[in-house]
Amino acid sequence: MARIAVITHEHDRFLGRRDILLRRSSPYMLFDILAELKRRGHSIRVQQGLSKPVSADMAVLHVDATVTPTDYVDYARSFAFCLNIGAADISKRRISGALIDKTDSWQGQVIVKSNLNNRGIPETLLNRRSERAGKQPPFPHLPILHPYEIHRSLGDVPDGVFDCDDLVVEKFIPEREPDGFAVRFWVFCGERERCTRYVSPNGLVKASETIRREPVSGARRTA
């Protein structure tokens, strides 16, 4: 069986509080995958912060930030194998396939987002926790957090958006349902998988506004 180390930031809160039955929870989808791996007999260690590398067969880099700090990337490389070392930068400009600029011929709706993942909220939380601990914030130059905005067309995008490095404009291509908009979450581990569709009347689907959720078939995988 494999020994797996999960690398998190020293101020990440990967594990939540125990419930009345003393069971752990987590806001991250990786938590369910780790539970399945434990069921199969693998050992899991959540490594919070940088320290001497633990004895492990593989590592999973799970720092909750858009761009993983260099020292954490270097730490991940100290392990014999790190599963997702190539995903240390998940900024929109790096990974999005729907980006457009003001000269694009796209005729449909568009959405203005932050270049940072989840509007930079994870970085903001890490900064606050770091300051409470009496340490320097790991992301000292965060931009102002802007809410996502949907516009009817490219021509309706406010002046200055395309000149702001902190913002991006994407094609708005949602999955539409008769009663709203849907978003899917697919979690898989080997041959086990779970894919759920969440429907909201709001084009920006949020958990608090979900009116229904349902299991659906997962994406097709190829070897």
Side-chain angles (χ1 to χ4, degrees), residues 126-150:
L126 287 175
N127 281 349
R128 289 176 182 172
R129 293 169 189 157
S130 180
E131 290 170 349
R132 291 194 197 109
K135 298 184 178 182
Q136 291 296 316
F139 304 97
H141 304 297
L142 281 182
I144 297 174
L145 304 184
H146 295 278
Y148 290 0
E149 297 179 348
I150 299 172

Side-chain angles (χ1 to χ4, degrees), residues 3 11-12 17 37 41 62 96 104 111 115 128 134 163 179-180 185 196 198 204 214:
R3 297 165 298 170
H11 299 300
D12 273 335
R17 296 179 179 178
L37 290 173
H62 198 273
S96 176
D104 202 279
I111 183 169
N115 185 45
R128 289 176 182 172
D163 299 321
D179 51 351
F185 291 94
T196 309
Y198 295 81
L204 300 175
E214 57 195 10

Side-chain angles (χ1 to χ4, degrees), residues 5-8 59-63 68 72-73 76 82-85 87-88:
V6 181
I7 305 168
T8 68
V60 179
L61 184 58
H62 198 273
V63 173
T68 302
Y72 279 86
V73 175
C82 183
L83 179 66
N84 56 340
I85 192 73

Side-chain angles (χ1 to χ4, degrees), residues 17-59:
R17 296 179 179 178
R18 294 184 184 277
D19 62 16
I20 193 172
L21 299 177
L22 301 181
R23 295 174 301 191
R24 284 285 193 185
S25 63
S26 173
Y28 300 104
M29 288 187 285
L30 178 63
F31 182 75
D32 290 345
I33 294 177
L34 296 178
E36 172 63 18
L37 290 173
K38 283 184 179 180
R39 187 191 67 79
R40 299 182 186 187
H42 303 293
S43 65
I44 309 294
R45 175 169 177 172
V46 177
Q47 180 68 35
Q48 192 164 6
L50 304 173
S51 66
K52 184 178 180 180
V54 298
S55 179
D57 299 303
M58 63 170 289

